[in-house]
Amino acid sequence: MSVTVAKSAGFCFGVSRAVELVEASAKAGKRVVTLGPIIHNRHVVDKFRAMGVAVIDEPEQAQPGDTVIIRSHGVSRAVYERLEERGVEIIDATCPFVKRIHGIVSKAEQEGRLPIIIGTPTHPEVEGIAGWCGECQVFESVEELEKWVQTEKIPASKPICMVSQTTSTEYLWKLCVNFAKKQFTNLKIFDTICRATEYRQSEAAELSQSCQAMVVVGDPKSSNTGRLAMICREHCEKVALVDNAADLNLDFFQGVTDVGITAGASTPAWIIKEVNKTMSDTINVETVQEENFAELLEQSIKTLNTGDKVIGTVTSIGNTEVQVDLGTKHAGYIPYDEVSADPSVKPEDILKVGDEIEVFVVRVNDQEGTVQLSKKKLDGLKVWDDMATYVEEKTTVEGKITEENKGGLVCNVKGIRVFIPASQSGIARGGDMSVMVGKTVELKITEVNRARRRVIGSIRAVTAESRKAAQEQIWSEIEVGKKYHGVVKSLTSYGAFVDIGGVDGMVHVSELSWNRIKTPADVVKVGDEIDVYVISFDPEKHKISLGYKTDAMNPWNQFMTNYNVGDVVDAKVVKLMTFGAFAEILPGVDGLIHISQIADRRIGKPEDVLSEGQEVKVMITDIDAENKRISLSIRALLEQGEEDAE
């Protein structure tokens, strides 16, 4: 027979913390009482009673000067206030995950939301949660939730907040969430199941599928232990729920070759060990884990020091921290802000239960038996080595600009603060560097001073490198007539300089427009993206002449395409001469209205009838395509009007 003990069996972080707080307070010589049994295990309660720790049921039973420890299940706001009125020292051992739920339902009430709690109504944890809001609903099954909605005719628009008892099953929670999502349109959901509990239940399910018999160790009154037994029975026919080794009926395991052992969160390690030892000593066990206990005992007395680098296994990912098993008596945890230097990274994105990770010891609390760890700090130490490599190998790296200061920009590269001088930012002198904040950029690390924790980088080095490569490609492929999409970089009185991808070419003012213009600014401005083509180039002098105006832009071609002799058009008088008036049909295309064609009578001079800027209707009477001349007539329209009147 082989016996396998679940890795997750026994105290969870919250229970372990509560037990250690009671032990520490009792050893300090204080008169200690717990409000209700500290955990659902009579053996632990009996042990503390022998140490002089009493159990009270109501706050009023506490005496002034007592040290009252609130158990990991937590209490209501009213109970807490009643304790304060008694003049006692309060040590709150409420599980951090439960404490978070208190805050959620309290805030929900302030927002006008009705809290719905999925859990056992009579469980101390649920009673405590309910006590942090004025009104709430507690449901033990999805059927109860559905019945309430239908019976009370709850409107779909009702503001709802959903939480779960930390020890509830994932299956029940998902059923309730799926129903609520379909029922309510104004719903906030908070998954508050403790991941340590979820992992313990998941491991129990997996172990019970591979074993012929299961032993669940724990107080039968504990809902946590009861759920483990229920989960095991779903996969295994032989399941024994025992309080301790004395409850074992060894005949129950006759003919069994594989036995699995798991335990609730309130079961002490010594009881689990006794159960395992009893089975190992009594039954012919081929493979037992007794040797593991010697190993665990050795590990449990290991000492940890601040600054140590240790390897541990992720056991759960909670809402505020990641719990890590270090193989010692200490409960290891990584606060969320110590998981990664990147604040946008979520722990579950880079870690999962069962991962073996190397971490940095930040703080050891032997009194509480906890170790604060940091993955971020250890990653940071490794990143400094990477930075030195980047300088040596001239590697291009990626980072996010986080701020602007007088001297330049600050960039976050793998959690390291990198300073980029203004001259290396790629922004022209006097330009607005604030536009870079929040952008992800490529840069090169140019200097690293680990002692001063200083790193300098350059965006310009990357752009210069890219520009050089682009220049080489352009000069290798350039030819007359080739088209490019470029950006106007600067303007002069004689033209515009355009970046065509690493190389600047010049568009002469005469090549910008078919019309007469005073300055290049009449057509383009700095920053404009325009299409240009190569007129000529000189590789030796690195000069490129570009053209912007095309035949399609030629106003004469537009005129010839769209207008014919006999068309009546609107024109604008642009110049008066002794022999007539020039009128603009299109920008860049003028026609002549001869003095004899201005009116249907003889006039002395054009200004007797017309003025510059005047809008007139004219008829196109002749087009000389070869000489690009157009004849216009107002008189023809006047005579045509007279004929129509007759």
Side-chain angles (χ1 to χ4, degrees):
M1 178 185 292
S2 65
V3 178
T4 304
V5 179
K7 293 179 181 178
S8 60
F11 284 174
C12 67
F13 170 73
V15 170
S16 177
R17 175 173 171 266
V19 168
E20 288 168 0
L21 284 172
V22 175
E23 286 183 340
S25 299
K27 289 177 181 178
K30 300 177 181 179
R31 185 179 183 277
V32 180
V33 297
T34 63
L35 186 57
I38 192 66
I39 60 173
H40 280 161
N41 188 281
R42 64 183 179 86
H43 303 285
V44 175
V45 174
D46 290 344
K47 173 187 173 184
F48 286 148
R49 186 177 289 113
M51 296 174 65
V53 178
V55 178
I56 61 174
D57 299 317
E58 299 293 336
E60 287 70 27
Q61 293 176 282
Q63 301 300 316
D66 282 354
T67 296
V68 181
I69 298 180
I70 297 174
R71 56 187 173 176
S72 58
H73 295 129
V75 295
S76 67
R77 183 191 286 119
V79 169
Y80 204 99
E81 291 171 351
R82 285 160 60 192
L83 280 173
E84 289 179 326
E85 292 173 358
R86 299 295 297 170
V88 298
E89 179 190 0
I90 302 173
I91 295 180
D92 192 351
T94 303
C95 172
F97 303 131
V98 177
K99 200 77 173 175
R100 174 176 176 263
I101 306 176
H102 293 172
I104 291 172
V105 298
S106 179
K107 184 179 179 181
E109 182 183 43
Q110 295 171 12
E111 294 176 347
R113 293 183 177 276
L114 174 68
I116 289 180
I117 307 168
I118 306 302
T120 306
T122 56
H123 192 281
E125 178 190 316
V126 175
E127 291 176 341
I129 295 169
W132 285 89
C133 53
E135 180 187 359
C136 66
Q137 293 291 330
V138 182
F139 301 105
E140 205 165 1
S141 67
V142 69
E143 290 78 17
E144 289 182 8
L145 175 59
E146 292 176 358
K147 183 178 179 182
W148 171 72
V149 171
Q150 294 166 2
T151 304
E152 300 297 327
K153 297 180 180 179
I154 308 300
S157 60
K158 188 172 183 64
I160 298 291
C161 169
M162 276 188 73
V163 297
S164 171
Q165 182 178 336
T166 58
T167 54
S168 182
T169 63
E170 189 74 15
Y171 177 73
L172 170 61
W173 172 246
K174 286 182 178 177
L175 283 178
C176 294
V177 167
N178 290 337
F179 171 77
K181 284 181 176 179
K182 295 175 183 176
Q183 183 63 37
F184 301 111
T185 57
N186 190 357
L187 173 68
K188 280 190 177 181
I189 299 171
F190 296 90
D191 184 355
T192 53
I193 294 178
C194 174
R195 295 306 157 207
T197 299
E198 183 184 345
Y199 178 58
R200 181 182 291 105
Q201 292 175 352
S202 175
E203 189 182 22
E206 186 177 340
L207 190 58
S208 60
Q209 290 179 54
S210 61
C211 293
Q212 293 179 318
M214 286 292 297
V215 178
V216 181
V217 188
D219 193 318
K221 296 178 182 178
S222 167
S223 63
N224 183 280
T225 304
R227 284 196 179 92
L228 282 178
M230 179 187 71
I231 291 169
C232 290
R233 290 190 180 105
E234 291 176 357
H235 306 286
C236 182
E237 293 182 0
K238 285 181 172 286
V239 178
L241 174 55
V242 299
D243 180 58
N244 56 32
D247 287 351
L248 282 170
N249 178 7
L250 300 177
D251 293 335
F252 181 76
F253 301 99
Q254 290 296 324
V256 174
T257 58
D258 298 290
V259 177
I261 298 176
T262 187
S266 300
T267 307
W270 79 77
I271 293 181
I272 302 171
K273 182 177 179 180
E274 285 177 355
V275 169
N276 184 72
K277 188 174 186 302
T278 299
M279 295 189 68
S280 302
D281 290 346
T282 308
I283 303 174
N284 182 24
V285 178
E286 294 176 1
T287 307
V288 294
Q289 293 184 322
E290 190 61 38
E291 297 125 6
N292 290 345
F293 280 105
E295 182 182 336
L296 289 171
L297 181 62
E298 181 184 347
Q299 291 177 337
S300 69
I301 60 175
K302 284 182 181 177
T303 58
L304 292 173
N305 299 296
T306 300
D308 285 351
K309 297 176 186 177
V310 294
I311 294 176
T313 303
V314 176
T315 57
S316 73
I317 300 175
N319 297 307
T320 58
E321 61 192 19
V322 177
Q323 295 179 24
V324 180
D325 179 11
L326 300 174
T328 71
K329 65 180 180 180
H330 300 86
Y333 67 96
I334 310 173
Y336 266 18
D337 58 1
E338 289 296 327
V339 173
S340 171
D342 186 347
S344 66
V345 172
K346 297 179 180 178
E348 56 266 29
D349 293 338
I350 57 175
L351 297 174
K352 63 180 183 296
V353 172
D355 280 355
E356 190 173 82
I357 59 173
E358 188 175 14
V359 287
F360 183 87
V361 176
V362 177
R363 186 180 299 107
V364 181
N365 190 327
D366 287 321
Q367 184 176 355
E368 294 187 4
T370 59
V371 181
Q372 182 180 333
L373 307 168
S374 174
K375 182 178 180 295
K376 179 174 74 174
K377 280 187 172 61
L378 191 60
D379 290 344
L381 294 174
K382 293 178 179 178
V383 168
W384 280 99
D385 294 334
D386 293 340
M387 291 292 164
T389 303
Y390 296 153
V391 174
E392 184 178 342
E393 298 181 357
K394 298 181 179 179
T395 307
T396 298
V397 298
E398 195 174 81
K400 187 173 184 179
I401 304 297
T402 58
E403 62 181 274
E404 172 207 7
N405 57 37
K406 291 181 179 180
L409 299 168
V410 176
C411 184
N412 184 313
V413 178
K414 293 188 175 182
I416 297 293
R417 181 185 169 94
V418 178
F419 176 65
I420 303 171
S423 61
Q424 299 300 314
S425 67
I427 303 293
R429 180 177 293 183
D432 184 9
M433 290 194 295
S434 65
V435 298
M436 297 289 288
V437 176
K439 291 185 177 181
T440 299
V441 299
E442 289 188 333
L443 67 153
K444 287 187 180 292
I445 305 301
T446 57
E447 182 184 330
V448 175
N449 188 323
R450 189 177 297 205
R452 297 178 60 188
R453 301 187 68 79
R454 183 182 181 188
V455 181
I456 296 176
S458 171
I459 297 173
R460 185 179 176 184
V462 175
T463 54
E465 192 175 82
S466 301
R467 189 175 179 86
K468 183 179 179 182
Q471 288 174 347
E472 291 176 355
Q473 182 175 352
I474 285 178
W475 284 113
S476 66
E477 299 175 351
I478 196 168
E479 57 185 31
V480 173
K482 188 165 186 176
K483 296 179 180 179
Y484 292 96
H485 185 73
V487 179
V488 178
K489 303 299 288 186
S490 63
L491 300 177
T492 67
S493 59
Y494 50 85
F497 285 92
V498 180
D499 182 353
I500 58 174
V503 177
D504 287 351
M506 193 193 77
V507 183
H508 192 270
V509 66
S510 62
E511 294 295 333
L512 280 171
S513 175
W514 289 98
N515 300 325
R516 291 181 179 179
I517 58 175
K518 293 180 179 179
T519 68
D522 292 340
V523 180
V524 294
K525 62 180 182 297
V526 173
D528 280 354
E529 294 186 18
I530 60 175
D531 291 316
V532 293
Y533 57 92
V534 178
I535 295 176
S536 64
F537 61 93
D538 186 338
E540 293 184 2
K541 295 182 179 179
H542 286 80
K543 288 185 178 181
I544 302 174
S545 294
L546 301 172
Y548 174 60
K549 66 180 185 182
T550 63
D551 288 340
M553 297 179 187
N554 189 336
W556 178 260
N557 292 343
Q558 293 177 24
F559 173 80
M560 292 298 292
T561 302
N562 298 302
Y563 296 90
N564 298 292
V565 172
D567 287 351
V568 177
V569 297
D570 291 318
K572 179 181 178 181
V573 177
V574 293
K575 194 172 185 179
L576 297 175
M577 308 294 289
T578 56
F579 52 83
F582 286 98
E584 182 184 69
I585 303 170
L586 292 173
V589 178
D590 297 343
L592 174 65
I593 312 172
H594 192 269
I595 191 170
S596 64
Q597 298 298 315
I598 292 177
D600 56 359
R601 66 186 188 281
R602 186 180 181 86
I603 61 174
K605 50 186 182 297
E607 50 262 41
D608 291 341
V609 178
L610 301 175
S611 59
E612 290 187 5
Q614 183 180 349
E615 299 283 346
V616 293
K617 277 192 179 298
V618 294
M619 177 185 287
I620 301 173
T621 57
D622 185 55
I623 299 174
D624 182 351
E626 186 176 349
N627 296 304
K628 295 182 180 180
R629 290 178 179 174
I630 305 168
S631 296
L632 304 173
S633 175
I634 298 174
R635 179 179 177 178
L637 293 177
L638 295 173
E639 291 176 348
Q640 188 180 70
E642 291 174 357
E643 292 175 3
D644 292 341
E646 292 176 359

